[in-house]
Amino acid sequence: MNVSASRSNTFSHSSPSFELGAFELRRIAMPLVSPFRTSFGSQDARDILLVRVEMTDDDGNVTEGWGECVALSEPSYSPEYVDGAQHVIEHHLIPRLRSAGRLDAAGVAPALSKLHGHPMAKAALEMAVLDAQLRAADISFASFLGATRTSIPSGVSVGIHDTVDDLLRTVQGYIDDGYVRIKLKIEPGSDIEHVAAVRELIGPDTPLQVDANTAYRRTDGQHLAQLDPFDLLLIEQPLPEEDIVGHALLAAEVDTPICLDESLVSASGTADAIELGACEIANIKPGRVGGYLEAVRIHDLCVAKNIPVWCGGMLETGIGRAANAALAALPGFTLPGDISASTRFYAQDIVTDPITITDGHVTVPTTSGLGFDLDAAFLNRVTTSTHTVS
Ligand code: NPQ
Ligand code: MG
């Protein structure tokens, strides 16, 4: 499959460049409809950093663009956290971007490459620049990235529940909503029995997978092999993010395919993990890998290596959710992603057209840029601070 043939732009040779204006760093507080528990803790709200940029093109036209930073409030999923992301954006990343002069989205990562780490912070800036650039050119994000579908199957991520009865009630609700794939968060003590009960509830034909968020150890191979009879699509990130060899050992010991999430932070690291046999399936999250452009590179690499990919989620608002839907419409995304309806997590979204599911699918936005409009009144109501960096 020639996956880049349909792309309207190769990322490295885009011609128009822009002058960066002011950046607005806006923090919003979004309560979750129910607490979301994973092996690293339980959350009942999301503290999200949004980035707004104004850019001026060669003809003097000014366009705004928005980015969403997926860092959590604590460094519990990855080393980044939202206060740290805001700090590094203001004091290190934006100054580098400014000294790079005129640029577009393809120029963002190169301008920041001397600064180590902070992929979620970098991704938010690249996303804002990309949104402005595409709005200026009236190109949709989906067509820019090379999407080949107009809708994508929608999966749902289900938090850890204290009791199997509660879990079954929650899962049945999502089945009723139409989700085509269920992902259960697991940890030692809430795994085999929970998966067995859910498989029994949903029957053999509904795709099911699990996510451990690093909760197991290399010695848990025989324990995790007890999941094999339940015909799971994959086991996501069973071991600590640094333990690539451990995942390869586990892949040899367990029949269910091993999928990496936290471990994958770049295209080159993904190539290494695949080479070692540690990554039989890849969860691609644009924020975790430094942006949508690197996410597409990982997609292309996985297609070349015959590794199925799917798009993960970080409890994004409609901004990030719309962008993820566009990415997940690329041809290599052969498994349903964690791109659920906005209402899975939020009673109200900051976009005017929240993400919804119809017959288990999310429609890929086709309007210009990332393809959303903001509900300014609601956005202002949930805003906890704004800071302009000029
Ligand atoms: C994952 N996301 O795939 C992540 C983890 C994650 C949808 O399962 C607040 C609390 C925000 C927990 C963002 C999904 C979170 C969170 C992401 C967990 O590993
Ligand atoms: Mg995960």
Side-chain angles (χ1 to χ4, degrees):
M1 161 164 49
N2 181 354
V3 293
S4 30
S6 62
R7 240 165 252 155
S8 62
N9 206 324
T10 56
F11 305 139
S12 41
H13 304 107
S14 33
S15 36
S17 69
F18 299 86
E19 184 184 317
L20 295 177
F23 283 88
E24 180 188 277
L25 307 181
R26 181 188 284 252
R27 291 279 282 276
I28 61 173
M30 295 282 282
L32 300 178
V33 292
S34 57
F36 188 52
R37 180 171 152 207
T38 67
S39 63
F40 59 76
S42 183
Q43 307 279 312
D44 55 18
R46 197 82 169 75
D47 174 0
I48 297 175
L49 169 63
L50 302 177
V51 176
R52 177 183 179 274
V53 67
E54 278 185 0
M55 307 200 313
T56 307
D57 71 12
D58 296 326
D59 302 324
N61 302 309
V62 180
T63 316
E64 69 168 9
W66 288 82
E68 175 168 352
C69 181
V70 300
L72 305 188
S73 48
E74 290 193 296
S76 48
Y77 164 84
S78 77
E80 291 183 89
Y81 62 102
V82 65
D83 285 332
Q86 180 160 347
H87 186 280
V88 78
I89 285 173
E90 176 177 356
H91 297 284
H92 301 279
L93 304 183
I94 289 175
R96 288 280 169 143
L97 282 187
R98 293 214 187 286
S99 54
R102 298 179 74 85
L103 48 65
D104 62 7
V108 171
L112 303 177
S113 67
K114 296 287 185 210
L115 301 175
H116 292 241
H118 301 285
M120 293 172 176
K122 291 173 177 175
L125 290 175
E126 184 193 82
M127 186 176 178
V129 171
L130 183 56
D131 183 35
Q133 165 187 340
L134 295 180
R135 283 177 200 254
D138 193 20
I139 296 172
S140 76
F141 195 52
S143 96
F144 176 80
L145 294 183
T148 53
R149 286 172 291 172
T150 56
S151 79
I152 50 152
S154 178
V156 64
S157 177
V158 184
I160 297 170
H161 284 57
D162 288 340
T163 71
V164 170
D165 279 354
D166 279 351
L167 174 64
L168 294 182
R169 252 190 303 279
T170 299
V171 169
Q172 186 60 54
Y174 293 137
I175 294 289
D176 297 343
D177 290 339
Y179 289 105
V180 301
R181 185 227 66 192
I182 302 291
K183 158 168 144 181
L184 302 182
K185 293 291 193 176
I186 60 167
E187 66 183 357
S190 304
D191 47 20
I192 317 295
E193 189 197 353
H194 289 225
V195 170
V198 169
R199 176 51 90 197
E200 168 92 18
L201 175 77
I202 66 181
D205 296 331
T206 301
L208 178 64
Q209 65 192 53
V210 294
D211 185 0
N213 288 113
T214 76
Y216 295 87
R217 294 298 170 260
R218 282 189 186 190
T219 46
D220 288 322
Q222 285 314 301
H223 177 75
L224 290 170
Q226 293 178 70
L227 292 170
D228 285 339
F230 303 111
D231 192 26
L232 303 180
L233 284 174
L234 57 91
I235 301 175
E236 182 180 346
Q237 198 69 41
L239 306 180
E241 62 198 80
E242 308 82 359
D243 195 5
I244 304 302
V245 169
H247 283 100
L249 294 169
L250 213 54
E253 204 178 349
V254 176
D255 287 341
T256 308
I258 301 297
C259 169
L260 295 182
D261 172 358
E262 285 89 329
S263 292
L264 305 180
V265 296
S266 67
S268 73
T270 303
D272 291 352
I274 292 170
E275 198 66 36
L276 280 167
C279 181
E280 299 175 286
I281 297 177
N283 168 335
I284 299 181
K285 284 180 184 165
R288 196 194 60 227
V289 304
Y292 284 88
L293 305 189
E294 186 76 353
V296 171
R297 285 181 208 110
I298 295 177
H299 159 272
D300 293 358
L301 162 82
C302 289
V303 168
K305 299 280 180 194
N306 255 312
I307 298 294
V309 309
W310 55 283
C311 183
M314 292 296 290
L315 282 55
E316 291 90 346
T317 70
I319 297 181
R321 218 164 270 278
N324 286 346
L327 177 69
L330 268 65
F333 284 81
T334 53
L335 293 171
D338 280 345
I339 305 164
S340 41
S342 299
T343 53
R344 157 66 186 91
F345 293 110
Y346 303 113
Q348 190 172 347
D349 206 328
I350 58 171
V351 296
T352 53
D353 221 355
I355 302 292
T356 55
I357 70 169
T358 308
D359 293 333
H361 286 65
V362 167
T363 301
V364 176
T366 52
T367 50
S368 99
L370 302 182
F372 61 85
D373 287 308
L374 289 164
D375 176 342
F378 182 67
L379 178 62
N380 285 333
R381 226 178 318 143
V382 295
T383 296
T384 53
S385 70
T386 55
H387 184 63
T388 300
V389 185
S390 0

